[in-house]
Amino acid sequence: MSGLSISDMARPAPPTPYLDGLNAEQRAAVEAMDGPVLVLAGAGTGKTRVLTTRLAHILATGRARPWEILAVTFTNKAAREMKERVGKIIGEAVEGVPWLGTFHSVSAQILRRHAELVDLKSSFTILDTDDQLRLMKQIIQAENIDEKRWTPRHLASLIDGWKNRGLMPDQLGEDDKWAFAEGRGQDLYRIYQSRLKTLNACDFGDLLLHTLHIFKDNPDVLKFYHDKFRYLLVDEYQDTNIAQYLWLRLLAQGTGNICCVGDDDQSIYGWRGAEVDNILRFEKDFSGATVIRLERNYRSTAHILGAASGLIAANRSRLGKTLWTDDAEGEKVQVRGIWDGEAEARFVAEEIENWVSGQRAYSDSAVLVRAAWQMRAFEDRFIMLGLPYKVIGGPRFFERAEVRDAHAYLRLVRSPEDDLAFERIVNTPKRGIGDTTVQKIAVTARAMGVPMTEATRVMLGTDEIRGKARTALGVFLRDVERWREQSEQSRLDELAEIILDESGYTAMWREDKTPQAAGKLENLKELVRSMGEYDTLEAYLEHVALLTDADRKPDEDEISLMTLHGAKGLEFPLVFLPGWEETVFPSQRSLDEGGTRSLEEERRLAYVGITRARERAIITFTANRMIYGRWQTVIPSRFIDEMPVDHVEARSETGYYDSGPGFESVSQQPDAMASSYSSPGWKRYQANQQSGRRSAPPTINAKATLIESGGSDTQGTWRAGDRVFHDKFGYGTVKKADGSKYTVKFDKAGEKKVVENFLRELP
């Protein structure tokens, strides 16, 4: 009853009709109000409903007022959905919950209130990745470090990792110090942080890191937030990194009323700092914690859940739960062994066409790949057949160059200390201000310890800058100052239009005759239009800085093509999971770099993939895969054999594999094989299978099938006179064979010597 007066306790309890539709476990999670609570919510068990109902229950029962609740999510989209759902439950708008947002947006609010405690102004700029890399490059160059060997992107990744672990420069260990430029990592991190403060800027990691250290170093500030927040609600707790974990631990020391909702079986972001151990040790961290498991699934069929549960049971690092449903068993999870990547794409496309012919929508289907390079074959096939599709996770609107330029103008208007914005647009469009002049200004600014705008004013009072550059810089500074004054009176969209017109930026694209110019102008129009939804420049820039890929809106009737990581939180009636082969999934890099820990995360990723499916899940693996430009013979993923046989229907479309859970014997499918493949080697292999002789299956060393023409192994695959195909040289005729080397007379490229691996059967 923390925070309630005696009169509050004497009031009759308000009606709670919103609890009626919850199952027993969900209701227990909502009503467990006091002390630490961990809700282990399996995939499709109503996690979001529990979280929003719990927030609504706190408000409806008067346990806390809207501004006394801290609710953190991982995306702006999730925060918006929570507000909307809570509003529907309690029958009124919940805009009065000011502390409902992402970790970064909430941290930004706190940091702006206490910026001076970490030597910043409240108007600090939040840098995006592009600006971060530019700043890293400047520092590396200034320190005379070989940027080709020690790249800005590598340094940015290291620093981001250190910040995710809550480490400031002076807290790095020896291994961290030596992770970059032969022991220079700590110095560069320190210089980078110093430059950020000079710029009055933060990167994403700083929002949490600075707030964390404000709490640690200022007990009075921490107590203020202890007194302020009666309840803490945390979504997707399994995805928190160390800094977020420490941040939450400090805030939870107040009332102790922290409720974390998450699923240890869906922790798949270790590569970006997430620590599954945070959720695994919840009961140790929060003494007396209540743990509630949500295991009833409302999304998928019984067979899909059975396959997924059996697979994830192979992981040791988990708290344990088993998903179940009252719904029908549905179709078993289908596993198909296919000859190669192109055949796999053909198979998936045909299945989708059959699906749509049954009066289902393209948008009901999704292809979820382990790595982005797998998408090409599917895109090629979809384009060829005219199937509508979209790639989720591609470049966003706000990442386009013209939009970034417009934002740089707005950032400089808002904050004259923003040197990165100054450098980006001081000569965009061209004003006759060369790189040498900009470099002079940067050197002077660093020497004086002032922003580049101030250094420019000082230098214009001397003879250091002359000619056209001097005039252009004077006009530019006056324009920026005028726009800053106008920002106090003008609407944001009007201000943006004035800046783009008066700066000459819009005219630059109007005069550009390239095919891309029209699209860029349309993007600028859309940008200005969207700004009309924001009251202040500060609110708009912060919104843009905190946007994530997950904030995208659903599109039209199209197949969704995305990585498994991008699919988390989504669901589709029909899901394809291609590429389930060793070295692809689990990926070789994960196994090499992380061992058992990474293998378990890969298995969690497989679990996430299967549980995205509501009605049908189809897993495919190939006998041969083009990996980074080379054809390789591959074997099925270990994850396939880990799924329970009772929930899987497995069959080889090629006859290459005939073992494993539920696979039918190749000898029982001769007609299917004959209709699919007709090379000599394949026919001989098929005949051996039917006659009972167990010869080795044909291997592949090119794009589609291995052609065997008889003779000894040393004779190679082809003989003189055979017609072959090469990806670069096209069609040709074998003139001479020397083991695995061939002299080929190509129809258009002439005579070439090639090795066997680059030749294949005629497509």
Side-chain angles (χ1 to χ4, degrees), residues 189-208:
Y189 184 12
R190 188 179 290 112
I191 293 169
Y192 173 68
Q193 292 301 103
S194 177
R195 286 285 291 132
L196 286 175
K197 289 187 177 180
T198 300
L199 295 169
N200 191 36
C202 293
D203 60 23
F204 255 41
D206 282 328
L207 296 176
L208 274 157

Side-chain angles (χ1 to χ4, degrees), residues 241-263:
N241 58 37
I242 292 176
Q244 290 163 338
Y245 163 79
L246 295 172
W247 187 89
L248 287 167
R249 284 286 307 275
L250 286 170
L251 287 173
Q253 290 172 359
T255 63
N257 294 329
I258 180 171
C259 175
C260 294
V261 181
D263 183 2

Side-chain angles (χ1 to χ4, degrees), residues 691-760:
S691 65
R693 286 185 289 141
R694 303 295 295 177
S695 64
T699 56
I700 181 167
N701 47 32
K703 190 173 181 183
T705 60
L706 169 65
I707 303 175
E708 295 178 70
S709 51
S712 68
D713 293 339
T714 59
Q715 288 181 315
T717 300
W718 287 279
R719 291 176 173 176
D722 285 348
R723 291 287 286 173
V724 293
F725 185 82
H726 187 283
D727 283 336
K728 181 176 181 181
F729 303 129
Y731 296 95
T733 302
V734 176
K735 305 298 288 184
K736 180 182 178 183
D738 181 13
S740 63
K741 300 177 182 177
Y742 299 88
T743 300
V744 181
K745 178 69 166 57
F746 291 101
D747 297 351
K748 295 183 178 180
E751 194 169 285
K752 305 284 184 183
K753 290 185 178 182
V754 295
V755 295
E756 189 175 65
N757 286 358
F758 292 93
L759 295 176
R760 60 185 173 97

Side-chain angles (χ1 to χ4, degrees), residues 161-178:
W162 294 332
K163 290 183 178 181
N164 285 340
R165 289 157 54 196
L167 301 176
M168 295 293 280
D170 294 337
Q171 297 173 301
L172 297 186
E174 286 301 315
D175 289 344
D176 291 323
K177 294 176 185 178
W178 284 89

Side-chain angles (χ1 to χ4, degrees), residues 38 40 236-242 245 263-271 273-282 285 315-319 597-598 600-601 604:
L38 175 63
L40 279 177
E236 304 286 11
Y237 188 60
Q238 78 281 347
D239 293 334
T240 53
N241 58 37
I242 292 176
Y245 163 79
D263 183 2
D264 53 324
D265 291 334
Q266 295 189 71
S267 180
I268 59 174
Y269 297 117
W271 50 276
E275 286 284 342
V276 68
D277 288 345
N278 291 349
I279 193 169
L280 296 178
R281 63 169 178 250
F282 186 90
D285 290 335
N315 271 6
R316 294 183 179 181
S317 299
R318 62 190 297 259
L319 296 172
R597 185 180 180 89
S598 288
E600 293 208 345
E601 180 158 318
R604 291 194 293 269

Side-chain angles (χ1 to χ4, degrees), residues 16 86 102 184 318 387 428 448 503 528 554 564 586 677 689 702:
T16 56
V86 172
T102 66
R184 298 291 307 280
R318 62 190 297 259
L387 302 183
T428 304
M448 296 176 62
S503 66
V528 171
L564 284 161
Y677 300 98
Q689 294 292 322

